[in-house]
Amino acid sequence: SVAGGGSIDVAMIVKSMRDSLSADEVQAWGCGKIFEFCCAEWAGGGIGAEKRRLHAAEQGAMERVLTAMGVHASKDVQEWGCAALWGLIRDCPANRPRMISLRGTEAAVRALRQQPQAAAVQHWGCAALAELAKEGPECRALAVSLGASDLVLQGMGAHLQEVQVQ
């Protein structure tokens, strides 16, 4: 079981996020836990990273993260939301088309625009866009049409001392 022995129960997180949509702190926590599940080896109960990412998507994690980001403009939700977006699609080509169809590119660009002074949002938003760009020229063109190129350059300029943003 993916939810067993010391691992993170994604279904419970998704349910908590759905049941507490208006609670900013629950949404930030949920996005952070989804990121951990997708990226931290200890979080998945011994299953590999790609299987964890596919499992999280099957449980509705993409939809919950994107909904949280759409409802809450706070730095914490945008930071952990972008990190979760990246975590869900990182080295998982099967999840990228779905993330794009759910408007993940738009969510990442919106986060960059809403939180220009938050270095962590800039880092994770750019990471998510870079991973989405692997899906092909159409996705890259979409990001450019949404203003991603300018936002990335602005973020880099605003956070010269932040290595992860550079």
Side-chain angles (χ1 to χ4, degrees):
S1 164
V2 175
S7 66
I8 294 172
D9 184 345
V10 175
M12 184 274 301
I13 294 165
V14 167
K15 181 182 182 324
S16 295
M17 292 175 76
R18 185 178 49 248
D19 292 348
S20 301
L21 181 58
S22 64
D24 186 271
E25 60 280 356
V26 172
Q27 300 306 308
W29 167 84
C31 290
K33 287 298 178 184
I34 289 168
F35 167 74
E36 282 184 45
F37 178 79
C38 291
C39 297
E41 288 301 317
W42 62 264
I47 65 170
E50 186 171 13
K51 286 185 180 180
R52 288 195 311 272
R53 292 171 180 130
L54 291 168
H55 174 73
E58 289 167 4
Q59 296 298 313
M62 286 185 194
E63 292 84 354
R64 284 294 103 210
V65 168
L66 291 166
T67 298
M69 292 177 72
V71 171
H72 299 276
S74 73
K75 180 190 105 30
D76 289 342
V77 172
Q78 297 304 309
E79 173 184 341
W80 289 110
C82 285
L85 294 183
W86 176 79
L88 284 157
I89 59 175
R90 177 181 172 228
D91 298 328
C92 190
N95 278 351
R96 287 195 302 252
R98 184 167 170 207
M99 182 68 77
I100 292 166
S101 72
L102 291 171
R103 303 180 63 96
T105 305
E106 291 86 342
V109 169
R110 188 174 56 249
L112 294 177
R113 187 172 286 117
Q114 288 175 343
Q115 297 289 337
Q117 296 308 314
V121 174
Q122 297 298 306
H123 164 68
W124 291 116
C126 289
L129 287 172
E131 197 65 34
L132 286 165
K134 292 178 181 179
E135 192 57 26
E138 298 85 14
C139 185
R140 290 189 291 275
L142 171 62
V144 169
S145 75
L146 294 169
S149 299
D150 291 337
L151 291 167
V152 168
L153 291 173
Q154 289 169 14
M156 290 174 71
H159 302 284
L160 294 172
Q161 302 303 315
E162 299 290 336
V163 174
Q164 291 184 320
V165 180
Q166 299 304 307

